[in-house]
Amino acid sequence: MQTLLELAQGPLFRLTFAIMALGLLRIFILDIWGAIEAYRKAGDKNIPWKQAIKKTLGWLFPVRKAFGSRPVYSLLSILFHTGLILVPIFLFAHVELWKSGTGLGWITLPKSWADYLTLSTIIFGLALFFGRIAVRAASFLSRKQDYLWPLILIVPFITGYICAHAGVTPAGYRFYMLIHILSAELIFVLLPFTKIAHCVLMPLSQLVATLAWRFPPDTDEPVAISLNKKGVPV
Amino acid sequence: MNKNRATEEERTRALKPTKKPEVMERQRLPVRYHVEDYDVADRPRRFLEAFAVILRHSNYRFALEHFIRMSAKCSRCSVQCQVYLASGDLKDIPCYRSELLLGVYRRHFTMGGMLKGRVLGDSGLTDEMIEEMAESFWNCTACRRCSIECPAGIDHGLITHLGRYILSEIGIAPRALVVSVREQLEGKTGNTSAIPVPALLDTLEFLQDDMRETKGVEIEFPLDVEGCDYVFFPAVSDYLMEADTLMGIAAVFAATGDSWTTGTGYFDGINYGLFYSDRMLERIVKKVHAEAERLKGKNILIGECGHASRSAKYFVPTYCGGEKALPVINIMEYTYGALTEGRFRLDPNIVTEKVAYHDPCNIARQGWIIDQPREILKAFCKNYVEMEPHGENNICCGGGGGTVSIDEIRPYRTTIAGKVKAEQIRGSGCKYLVAPCANCKKQLRELVEDQKIDCEVVGLHDLIYKAIILENKN
């Protein structure tokens, strides 16, 4: 168990974190590159930047926008995301690990906040899971990953909470810590290749949607030629 | 009970096949809209070929790449789609519709999809999937209300737009649209309503006579005048069906004295290419711009028509030289400007009935024209009421995306696609419903008729024509 834990904490962590970081960087750059190319080719370069930025901020911080049509879902989703983002990054224990490993540290969450946020993430994650099953439209659209993600995401929160609180035996602690780390590493690896990629692509979404309607000029002829339709009547 | 949900009886009526079984068998296409006969052999291969070519020569790929990574299937779009709200059919959820095409893209145009397909033995695109897309993409009114609701920014309207383009390249597009575009681009008359120039001249003369009698003032429809400020392109069907709108526009120009003209070389603002083929869209846009240049006009002025305005506003710069292209404005922008500058007056005692304004999706969804027509109406209509939701969040008339031209699907448009709109109109209690769009006008008239709502659908300039104060300069 100890060896496994050391493996998970050491090389496996570095490997999976690198996969995540590079993978996310890759798709982010691809998105930006695609947008630049699209802009370069666009016949109409008049882009309503202000509108796109406003919409982007509206969805990144969905204070007003989110509660229009599905308020319960929106609230659950926002609360879930809040814990999901804040706890892993600003938990005292995590920051300490970064500090000991890299020398870099940053502000941390007060312990009570971290506890509440951990519990709320677990509860709202489960609520989203059951909501997906219960809402007819959502369950119809859902793929396997849509059901699995809320469950996968709360595993490190549950195990982390147990390690931080429950009076478990040292063997029990090592077991839960191992699950905690391995589940987080699984998430790292899957992040760039699944819908959770939205964690880095979200800020580009409105820009992509806006740019996508800026078509390149003079595509009638090349398309017609490629499809052997040059001069063919309508 | 959801009052927007269509009853079983309405659903049956709306979704009834419109074609003979032998036609469906021959065309292998169980859809309600009519399609010209096309090559049915090897459809999946040809679909993928067309898809590949379009991807190569367009900007769609980067958007599709983004969309397949972002698609979270949260179902928020379902609460905004007036088609799904009425039909209750899960396959009408915008996200599901988009997935039909995104799935093909993922499977055939991404490395991961191709590998997965190979490993799982998934043969990929099938005839059945093409048939489902052909049905689904034309159930949508392309109003793009879903797109403003998607947290992931997925533009389902764009995906439907692309899907229709690919289908049209293998011969699957509503005959009503194809025939109109054919006449516009290659026919003798060169416009979608097949109006020859002599008939246009007759119509304009008739309108001038009518205005002289009604208003006691000489009001002109200038033709082929070079160097005007505005070259005018209404939806050409207005010459047949919307006399009051045209007379209202002419009256505004008579009052302001600005120079404007209609070109007899080309006088149609309609662009059905926007709804099914980017190639047609491009060719039509270029015709509009070429006519305005021929007449050495300074601006392209589009009449009361949502899609005509959007086609010109957003695609004249695209296809006609970017910043060098002629500016495009909609007639409501012009009229609003003239009114606020005090260049004409409206009598506030003429229109006393309850008036509501319907936002055409193509000009309101992006926030382009929302307030101007309202300000105009409030300036002279004593009893203006607002429908909720409106503006950018407006509800589509139910005939958007070209579906209004497909007469054989009228039962679908007025019992499912327009059902939510019908409830909204009924709720407003308006006597006049102002719909400044040729497509919306036709659809809403059919909607209020089929749904038995006591209300008259008019254009903005129809009411302006009633109320405008004209001085007899003679």
Side-chain angles (χ1 to χ4, degrees), chain A residues 31 69-70 205 213 218 229, chain B residues 66 75 149 152 155 169 286:
Chain A
D31 237 30
S69 47
R70 287 185 62 189
S205 268
W213 282 103
D218 304 319
K229 287 184 176 179
Chain B
H66 180 84
S75 82
E149 185 64 27
D155 194 328
E169 291 298 352
K286 284 179 171 170

Side-chain angles (χ1 to χ4, degrees), chain A residues 31 38 41 43 51 66 69-70 73-74 132 143 202 205 213-215 217-220 226 229 234, chain B residues 57 59 66 70-76 144 149 151-152 155 169 182 186 279 282-283 286 318 366:
Chain A
D31 237 30
K41 286 198 284 183
Q51 195 186 25
S69 47
R70 287 185 62 189
Y73 166 76
S74 298
R132 202 172 258 281
R143 306 152 290 190
M202 189 77 179
S205 268
W213 282 103
R214 298 300 189 274
F215 301 163
D218 304 319
T219 54
D220 169 30
S226 301
K229 287 184 176 179
V234 176
Chain B
H57 297 291
N59 264 350
H66 180 84
M70 288 294 289
S71 184
K73 312 285 177 201
C74 71
S75 82
R76 276 187 83 102
R144 300 178 63 229
E149 185 64 27
D155 194 328
E169 291 298 352
R182 185 177 297 142
E186 294 160 358
R279 292 207 292 123
E282 177 182 329
R283 287 160 74 177
K286 284 179 171 170
T318 298
Q366 291 129 311

Side-chain angles (χ1 to χ4, degrees), chain B residues 218-220 222 225 227-230 249-261 334 338 341-344 468 470-471 473:
Chain B
E218 281 296 335
I219 300 174
E220 249 198 302
V225 182
C228 284
D229 289 333
Y230 302 97
I249 291 167
V252 170
F253 272 104
T256 63
D258 282 343
S259 61
W260 71 305
T261 188
Y334 172 79
E341 287 162 15
R343 298 172 69 196
F344 69 92
I468 193 164
L470 294 168
E471 286 157 29
K473 287 170 188 161

Side-chain angles (χ1 to χ4, degrees), chain A residues 26-27 31 143 145-146 192-198 201 205 208, chain B residues 51 60-73 98-113 152-155 159:
Chain A
R26 173 183 164 268
I27 55 172
D31 237 30
R143 306 152 290 190
Q145 63 156 306
D146 298 313
F193 310 105
T194 58
K195 69 170 185 176
I196 310 298
H198 74 259
L201 298 186
S205 268
V208 169
Chain B
F51 201 166
Y60 289 113
R61 187 187 277 271
F62 95 103
L64 295 181
E65 284 288 328
H66 180 84
F67 293 159
I68 58 170
R69 290 188 184 118
M70 288 294 289
S71 184
K73 312 285 177 201
S98 293
E99 185 58 30
L100 297 176
L101 191 68
L102 290 179
V104 176
Y105 177 77
R106 205 182 281 117
R107 166 66 184 82
H108 292 279
F109 296 96
T110 66
M111 194 65 86
I154 295 174
D155 194 328
I159 298 170

Side-chain angles (χ1 to χ4, degrees), chain A residues 5-206:
Chain A
L5 197 56
E6 277 166 18
L7 181 74
Q9 279 172 327
L12 205 55
F13 177 83
R14 283 192 289 275
L15 176 70
T16 55
F17 192 84
I19 292 173
M20 176 187 73
L22 293 173
L24 291 179
L25 189 67
R26 173 183 164 268
I27 55 172
F28 188 77
I29 289 173
L30 283 176
D31 237 30
I32 295 263
W33 185 254
I36 292 171
E37 272 295 288
Y39 180 78
R40 193 182 59 77
K41 286 198 284 183
D44 177 10
K45 299 199 193 299
N46 179 24
I47 313 292
W49 298 108
K50 233 164 104 179
Q51 195 186 25
I53 290 168
K54 207 172 132 195
K55 278 189 182 172
T56 304
L57 293 175
W59 284 115
L60 282 180
F61 306 99
V63 185
R64 242 170 357 115
K65 194 162 178 131
F67 298 105
S69 47
R70 287 185 62 189
V72 176
Y73 166 76
S74 298
L75 189 65
L76 289 176
S77 176
I78 290 170
L79 292 171
F80 178 63
H81 278 86
T82 307
L84 206 57
I85 295 166
L86 293 183
V87 175
I89 300 174
F90 296 108
L91 187 82
F92 178 74
H94 288 179
V95 177
E96 282 300 301
L97 281 172
W98 279 106
K99 218 184 262 177
S100 63
T102 63
L104 292 170
W106 49 84
I107 52 160
T108 57
L109 282 168
K111 191 172 179 312
S112 58
W113 283 35
D115 285 348
Y116 291 136
L117 281 171
T118 304
L119 288 173
S120 72
T121 307
I122 297 166
I123 292 164
F124 297 128
L126 287 171
L128 285 176
F129 172 74
F130 288 113
R132 202 172 258 281
I133 295 173
V135 176
R136 198 166 149 255
S139 63
F140 176 73
L141 294 173
S142 296
R143 306 152 290 190
K144 284 187 210 85
Q145 63 156 306
D146 298 313
Y147 291 112
L148 283 174
W149 266 116
L151 300 180
I152 295 174
L153 285 170
I154 60 174
V155 173
F157 284 80
I158 296 171
T159 48
Y161 193 84
I162 292 173
C163 288
H165 292 86
V168 286
T169 60
Y173 180 88
R174 280 197 294 275
F175 172 74
Y176 287 117
M177 185 48 76
L178 183 66
I179 302 294
H180 177 73
I181 296 167
L182 287 178
S183 57
E185 287 167 351
L186 177 69
I187 293 167
F188 287 170
V189 173
L190 293 176
L191 265 175
F193 310 105
T194 58
K195 69 170 185 176
I196 310 298
H198 74 259
C199 64
V200 293
L201 298 186
M202 189 77 179
L204 301 173
S205 268
Q206 301 299 331

